[in-house]
Amino acid sequence: MAHAIPARETSTGAGTRTGTDASGPTTPNVFGRRTHLLARWAMPLAIGLVYGYWAASIRRHGGPITGWNLLFGFMTVLAFALLWYAVRAVADRLPREGHAVLWGAFAGSALGFLYSGSGVAMFTSILVSLLLAAAVTAGLYYHYATHQDAEEARAARHRTRTRTLTRTT
């Protein structure tokens, strides 16, 4: 079944252009602002629940679930979610290099905490954490560098086109 794509600037606001260049491709906004806000706050909590369960299951080493084990899991969820919110708040204010390094450090530290709880040698845990942190940092830096450069080029083309149109009229 075919569905119609909403036209630009409809009454619902769907289908509006999200970029600065009006001639570029459109990105449909499927969900509203409220849904995006809910996802922005619920996602770290949901990932934190998985992370906390994982940490608690590693800590009990296959033994029975105890009250202390549950407390440890929930405290891990709380710490993970609060750190995620803090990293996101700080990273939004940093340039792309700092943004990538901060998220890389967060990912490496999270993995290191889980891996060290499994009883491996500390050197192995640190090495694996550093490798993950380097990979996440490199990947995010590449992502931010390519996307921000493209956005800056589109904005420059738009400014040039606007100046040209202003001079001719």
Side-chain angles (χ1 to χ4, degrees):
M1 178 192 307
H3 296 281
I5 297 174
R8 242 178 98 206
E9 299 178 14
T10 61
S11 61
T12 61
T16 58
R17 299 189 182 274
T18 58
T20 58
D21 189 357
S23 65
T26 62
T27 304
N29 190 3
V30 179
F31 301 109
R33 289 176 77 187
R34 185 175 180 189
T35 306
H36 283 285
L37 182 65
L38 178 66
R40 182 174 172 90
W41 287 100
M43 188 176 70
L45 189 60
I47 294 172
L49 284 169
V50 172
Y51 185 84
Y53 172 75
W54 193 355
S57 67
I58 288 173
R59 184 164 182 173
R60 65 185 172 93
H61 299 292
I65 298 173
T66 64
W68 290 112
N69 189 253
L70 287 174
L71 179 66
F72 176 76
F74 283 117
M75 294 307 287
T76 305
V77 170
L78 181 65
F80 182 86
L82 289 176
L83 283 172
W84 181 305
Y85 295 135
V87 166
R88 186 176 61 197
V90 172
D92 287 343
R93 296 182 182 103
L94 295 175
R96 61 182 169 213
E97 296 86 4
H99 196 134
V101 168
L102 190 59
W103 280 110
F106 177 73
S109 299
L111 178 69
F113 177 73
L114 286 179
Y115 200 49
S116 68
S118 66
V120 298
M122 190 56 65
F123 177 75
T124 307
S125 177
I126 291 170
L127 181 65
V128 169
S129 298
L130 287 174
L131 288 173
L132 178 71
V136 169
T137 299
L140 286 177
Y141 178 76
Y142 175 78
H143 173 76
Y144 295 136
T146 55
H147 283 72
Q148 285 179 351
D149 290 346
E151 288 174 9
E152 290 168 3
R154 272 190 239 115
R157 272 195 313 258
H158 182 70
R159 283 192 304 269
T160 305
R161 198 172 333 169
T162 304
R163 275 188 246 137
T164 306
L165 290 174
T166 306
R167 281 188 227 153
T168 58
T169 56

